[in-house]
Amino acid sequence: MPRYFFNTHIGEDVITDLNGEELRDPDHAWEASRAIIRAMMDDPKMSHSGNQDRLLAASLVVTDEAGEVVLEFPFAEALAGDAPEAPRHEEEPHQEEPRHHEVPNAH
């Protein structure tokens, strides 16, 4: 299996992955990249308010064993995958809001 390295680029800083991970193909590396980014964004130490903007501008650059870039995955793009789900969650509260507004008006 090929080995992929997940190097995090945050502004001028680079966090180099020295160990890498054996994965079956670049598609699997893409899936792993998305999971890594989401875990970093969910980590309270990494995503506190001071780092949130920096992380949204960061990228995960995946290289193969030869050092060739296989893919570059912007953090913002990994989170954009949540966008289709977000409106579904937001729609339910929006549907309830008019009911909450109607009840006080009825009194």
Side-chain angles (χ1 to χ4, degrees):
M1 271 197 186
R3 182 172 292 276
Y4 296 94
F5 298 85
F6 300 85
N7 305 297
T8 306
H9 292 247
I10 305 173
E12 299 294 320
D13 299 324
V14 178
I15 302 168
T16 305
D17 177 4
L18 299 175
N19 298 319
E21 188 173 339
E22 287 186 355
L23 301 169
R24 66 180 177 266
D25 57 29
D27 288 337
H28 196 196
W30 182 91
E31 291 170 12
S33 297
R34 188 169 185 234
I36 290 167
I37 292 169
R38 286 173 170 225
M40 288 177 74
M41 294 300 291
D42 288 343
D43 183 344
K45 294 175 189 172
M46 293 293 293
S47 65
H48 65 79
S49 61
N51 284 338
Q52 190 73 29
D53 291 339
R54 287 189 72 210
L55 285 177
L56 286 173
S59 292
L60 200 60
V61 178
V62 181
T63 58
D64 61 16
E65 290 177 284
E68 297 294 322
V69 174
V70 176
L71 64 97
E72 185 171 345
F73 204 140
F75 277 47
E77 185 178 311
L79 299 177
D82 290 337
E85 294 175 13
R88 287 187 208 135
H89 297 294
E90 291 176 9
E91 285 175 14
E92 292 173 12
H94 289 299
Q95 290 172 356
E96 292 176 14
E97 284 180 23
R99 289 184 204 136
H100 293 297
H101 293 296
E102 290 173 8
V103 173
N105 292 338
H107 291 274

